[in-house]
Amino acid sequence: MPREELIRLTGNGSGGPCGEDDCPNVYRTASGSIVVQGDVSDAFTPPAGEGIVEIPESVLREAVRALGR
């Protein structure tokens, strides 16, 4: 799925220290599911075909605010 099809919930105009696309972020898909971008984590080994990422709590809080909850 191209990034252009996602609704970015975090990092919109916040003027943070990172570039346009390289910060941890939370996105919503057209079907309403959530896509998370973050640093790859080695906390545990996920099943084949899955991955885990680590993002700051503040990014999740920003996403919740963007969803109006």
Side-chain angles (χ1 to χ4, degrees):
M1 160 182 323
R3 182 177 294 181
E4 296 79 30
E5 294 180 14
L6 301 172
I7 299 166
R8 190 171 180 170
L9 300 175
T10 57
N12 293 316
S14 62
C18 36
E20 180 69 26
D21 298 323
D22 62 351
C23 291
N25 278 297
V26 177
Y27 302 87
R28 184 173 52 196
T29 66
S31 65
S33 62
I34 301 296
V35 174
V36 178
Q37 173 189 354
D39 294 328
V40 175
S41 174
D42 61 359
F44 63 91
T45 302
E50 295 184 6
I52 56 174
V53 298
E54 186 173 329
I55 61 171
E57 180 180 332
S58 61
V59 173
L60 290 178
R61 291 182 182 277
E62 183 180 348
V64 170
R65 279 194 297 277
L67 289 168
R69 301 178 196 247

